[in-house]
Amino acid sequence: METRRGSWEPTATPRTEIDSPPSLRPTTDTTSLPILPETSTPLLRRCTALAARARVDLLTPSVHGSADELELVLAELSTWEPQRVVDPDPTMLALAAASLQDLAERVSDPARVGAGSQIALVLDLLHAVMPGSRVTAPA
């Protein structure tokens, strides 16, 4: 068996991101990626819980920590596009929409949540995604 001596040295410089064609460049743009149930279900569950807690917090004189957390969740949800949400949990969609709707109706000034307009945006998103989902519940 014959072995070669010496070291291997590349004859060309490695390609960089700039040299690559646009279709092969890595992308950090996540606006076109699908939102799978592994992502949507926990966030919808968190939105539901925080909306219910924020409602209680805002109706009683207490710390409004839930409303602050809810603002962050609403900010994330408001970036979603309905066509990107793939096979969401229909129950979580309905519960999140119901809890946000309840919060908006029960609190006299939704701006007190700090995200009055975001609640409307997220409700529009959830309603846009819902027609493709069917909620079944035993009577």
Side-chain angles (χ1 to χ4, degrees):
M1 181 185 308
E2 187 178 313
T3 61
R4 294 185 181 173
R5 293 185 186 185
S7 63
W8 179 82
E9 293 181 26
T11 56
T13 57
R15 290 181 68 136
T16 64
E17 216 178 274
I18 296 171
D19 299 328
S20 302
S23 61
L24 298 178
R25 290 183 193 157
T27 180
T28 56
D29 180 22
T30 59
T31 59
S32 61
L33 296 176
I35 299 168
L36 301 174
E38 298 83 42
T39 302
S40 64
T41 299
L43 195 57
L44 291 170
R45 184 176 293 123
R46 185 161 174 76
C47 177
T48 302
L50 287 171
R53 282 181 33 206
R55 177 179 167 244
V56 172
D57 286 355
L58 293 171
L59 293 174
T60 59
S62 66
V63 179
H64 298 156
S66 298
D68 296 338
E69 287 182 60
L70 179 61
E71 281 186 61
L72 297 173
V73 171
L74 292 175
E76 171 70 22
L77 288 171
S78 67
T79 65
W80 290 6
E81 297 169 2
Q83 66 273 16
R84 291 180 44 222
V85 182
V86 177
D87 196 27
D89 182 322
T91 304
M92 290 315 307
L93 277 174
L95 288 173
S99 62
L100 287 174
Q101 182 75 40
D102 184 58
L103 176 63
E105 289 174 0
R106 299 287 178 154
V107 177
S108 59
D109 181 14
R112 283 182 56 201
V113 178
S117 62
Q118 282 193 332
I119 289 175
L121 286 173
V122 172
L123 279 171
D124 288 344
L125 164 82
L126 297 176
H127 290 140
V129 174
M130 253 188 254
S133 303
R134 183 179 158 184
V135 178
T136 56

